[in-house]
Amino acid sequence: MTFLDSAFNAGLDQAQDTDPSYWQGAEGYGRRFGAEYTGQASSRFFKEFAYPWIFSEDPRYYRLAHGNAGRRLLHAVEHSVVAHRDDGARMFNFSEWLGTTSTVVLEQYLSPGQRTRLRSRGAASGLQHPPRHGFRHAARILARDFQETQTALPR
């Protein structure tokens, strides 16, 4: 699904011309597709491998099969903050938060025209992962603010 998501998001970015430094036409679409694909691949790397391995965390989501709608919704939202260690103990969900932050910083660093402003994401990303969309947005704001602070410092 990553390939199709990347193609769709690159098409949205191309149609909206979210970053003119990528240009238009086939070359611009190719650059956008490459950036989208790289961002999704790095996100999976950080969230599903690197940070879970470092923190001995199980990044998988286990649905709550029994309970009313409110309890199941709370369980789903709780997963954004609480994860489980390999031994089953509860812990802070480092892989979600650090993985998102690492991905956004990497995307900002690699994007040619994104070093001073936020990057618009396709609507499909927000619909596919509603809780993560807010985290991505917040992480992008933090990355932008950090970058602006770094450029404002005298060298």
Side-chain angles (χ1 to χ4, degrees):
M1 208 53 185
T2 302
F3 186 80
L4 294 176
D5 286 345
S6 298
F8 183 75
N9 288 337
L12 288 176
D13 289 348
Q14 178 85 357
Q16 296 171 356
D17 198 20
T18 56
D19 185 0
S21 66
Y22 282 117
W23 305 325
Q24 287 291 317
E27 183 177 356
Y29 177 79
R31 289 175 182 222
R32 286 180 171 90
F33 175 79
E36 288 287 338
Y37 192 81
T38 301
Q40 289 186 20
S42 63
S43 177
R44 289 191 68 190
F45 171 78
F46 288 125
K47 291 180 182 181
E48 296 176 15
F49 172 70
Y51 291 122
W53 179 75
I54 291 170
F55 295 107
S56 298
E57 180 181 331
D58 182 1
R60 296 174 291 183
Y61 172 77
Y62 296 99
R63 70 181 188 93
L64 186 63
H66 304 290
N68 62 22
R71 175 65 185 121
R72 292 169 68 180
L73 177 64
L74 181 64
H75 175 75
V77 171
E78 181 184 76
H79 179 70
S80 300
V81 181
V82 178
H84 297 276
R85 295 186 59 85
D86 291 339
D87 63 5
R90 295 163 58 93
M91 64 179 286
F92 179 73
N93 195 345
F94 287 106
S95 64
E96 182 69 38
W97 290 85
L98 292 177
T100 300
T101 304
S102 299
T103 300
V104 170
V105 169
L106 183 63
E107 285 177 345
Q108 294 292 320
Y109 179 75
L110 295 177
S111 295
Q114 297 300 328
R115 299 206 173 135
T116 57
R117 63 184 175 88
L118 289 176
R119 182 164 175 235
S120 167
R121 295 297 276 179
S125 296
L127 294 175
Q128 184 180 6
H129 303 292
R132 293 183 180 176
H133 184 69
F135 300 141
R136 288 181 183 151
H137 182 69
R140 284 196 176 95
I141 291 171
L142 291 173
R144 180 197 62 196
D145 292 347
F146 175 76
Q147 206 163 33
E148 287 174 358
T149 306
Q150 294 300 312
T151 57
L153 295 175
R155 297 199 183 240

